[in-house]
Amino acid sequence: MTGKPDISDERLQSLFDEVRKNRPEVSDSLYARILHDAGVVQKDVVPEQVTGAPGVLSSMLRAIGGWGSLGGMVAAAAAGIWIGFSNPTLVAPSLESDNTVQNSEFFDDLASGELMFGDSLFFEEG
Amino acid sequence: MEMAFDQMSELSDDALLVLYANGDPQAAASLTARLAPRLLSFCARLLRDVAEAEDVVQETMLRLWRMAPDWEQGGAKVSTWAFRVARNLCTDRLRKKKGVDLDSAPEPIDEAPGAEAQLIASDRLAALDWALDQLPERQRQAVVLRHIEGLSNPEIAEILDISVEAVESLTARGKRALAGHLSSRKEELGL
């Protein structure tokens, strides 16, 4: 190995080119191993994102304060509906005194559709 | 944020790593498709054992996934970082195998090609592998990175942790030595 080697740069370069064309291919099993590792590490690093972005319903639930708040809102809504549909004597028994006759006429008119919203204001103010 | 696989082909390695750290399931596949073939080629050339090279590539990629949340964009290139890790892992394995400090080992004298080289189908490629094996460790790594993997001198300098001038010197001496080793078998190989 003394003196000037008689393999030219061009010949050496063509050998390098040949090597590049004969690179080992990445096997499916190696890809699978690498991506398995990636998934495991990703779960550790970013657990929230990996489990998926929160949906619209879960975002709304979080915005109103969770399941406890939602239960309170449902109870309040149910109470409102009950008040709306109940017999007024049950809702406000104190009205059952001197105005019993007037009240019963008012509710009769309301039931028959003869009384409009403005009439009730007139009725209250006398 | 989740992107389609084909959209990712336009992104830099840096951006893919950030996407991975943000939970994108496709980013890892894209980065693996880019890096694994080059790393495997490099490691197989150094270790002369594809199964062992595969283990090193897997370990390199695992380290990449682990450091993804701390990756600083605009710093080192992801590929350079990965080659550096792979090179260190290969060096460790070779040292364990041979039980000597390869950097301080004397340059070997011409020997017959090893059994592994004889198993490779092409005589010329086997001869090149054999000739590469005759080079000191750093020369071999520099020649493989420059002339087979096609990396730039600054990238190789970063991977080998030496100056660009040292890379130029290593690759020049490596190529000269390679040509010398191959010259001794020129007739036999029809070069």
Side-chain angles (χ1 to χ4, degrees), chain A residues 59-111:
Chain A
S59 298
M60 287 171 65
L61 190 62
R62 198 175 305 152
I64 62 169
W67 287 106
S69 301
L70 183 64
M73 286 173 70
V74 169
I81 292 168
W82 179 78
I83 290 168
F85 281 96
S86 296
N87 186 330
T89 55
L90 290 173
V91 178
S94 60
L95 293 174
E96 296 275 340
S97 54
D98 302 335
N99 299 326
T100 304
V101 176
Q102 285 182 336
N103 282 343
S104 103
E105 285 172 357
F106 168 74
F107 286 113
D108 287 346
D109 291 345
L110 186 63

Side-chain angles (χ1 to χ4, degrees), chain A residues 19-37:
Chain A
V19 169
R20 267 198 293 274
K21 286 176 195 159
N22 287 281
R23 285 172 164 162
E25 286 190 12
V26 179
S27 64
D28 289 345
S29 70
L30 178 57
Y31 270 123
R33 278 155 57 193
I34 292 171
L35 293 180
H36 170 78
D37 289 345

Side-chain angles (χ1 to χ4, degrees), chain B:
Chain B
M1 185 172 130
E2 195 173 325
M3 293 183 79
F5 194 82
D6 55 347
Q7 284 180 289
M8 290 190 170
S9 61
E10 294 161 15
L11 297 179
S12 67
D13 293 349
D14 262 10
L16 284 176
L17 199 56
V18 171
L19 276 179
Y20 167 78
N22 287 333
D24 192 300
Q26 290 296 333
S30 291
L31 260 180
T32 303
R34 284 186 196 181
L35 296 177
R38 298 173 68 199
L39 292 174
L40 182 66
S41 168
F42 174 57
C43 295
R45 194 66 54 196
L46 295 189
L47 295 170
R48 303 290 300 281
D49 181 328
V50 174
E52 209 173 350
E54 286 187 336
D55 289 345
V56 170
V57 173
Q58 185 183 5
E59 175 64 24
T60 303
M61 296 303 289
L62 179 60
R63 292 186 185 197
L64 182 65
W65 308 137
R66 284 188 181 142
M67 57 79 61
D70 304 319
W71 183 259
E72 288 178 18
Q73 276 188 292
K77 281 173 72 176
V78 175
S79 57
T80 306
W81 182 93
F83 269 110
R84 187 174 181 159
V85 170
R87 177 250 172 185
N88 288 338
L89 290 170
C90 287
T91 303
D92 287 347
R93 283 176 181 247
L94 287 168
R95 284 180 180 166
K96 273 181 196 162
K97 263 188 193 173
K98 295 186 181 175
V100 292
D101 183 346
L102 294 170
D103 282 340
S104 61
E107 193 167 341
I109 307 163
D110 287 354
E111 295 168 358
E116 302 98 327
Q118 288 172 345
L119 290 174
I120 300 176
S122 161
D123 282 349
R124 278 195 306 279
L125 298 188
L128 182 65
D129 275 337
W130 165 78
L132 280 169
D133 266 358
Q134 311 309 306
L135 304 181
E137 188 63 17
R138 275 180 185 256
Q139 266 186 31
R140 180 151 64 108
Q141 291 173 350
V143 168
V144 170
L145 287 168
R146 183 76 190 93
H147 296 292
I148 298 177
E149 299 309 320
L151 269 63
S152 68
N153 285 346
E155 282 176 308
I156 299 167
E158 210 173 315
I159 291 164
L160 300 183
D161 204 15
I162 54 177
S163 68
V164 173
E165 291 74 22
V167 172
E168 288 167 359
S169 165
L170 271 180
T171 49
R173 279 187 288 134
K175 246 178 106 173
R176 228 175 10 249
L178 210 54
H181 288 302
L182 289 169
S183 294
S184 67
R185 302 182 61 207
K186 193 179 172 191
E187 302 289 321
E188 178 191 346
L189 297 166
L191 289 168

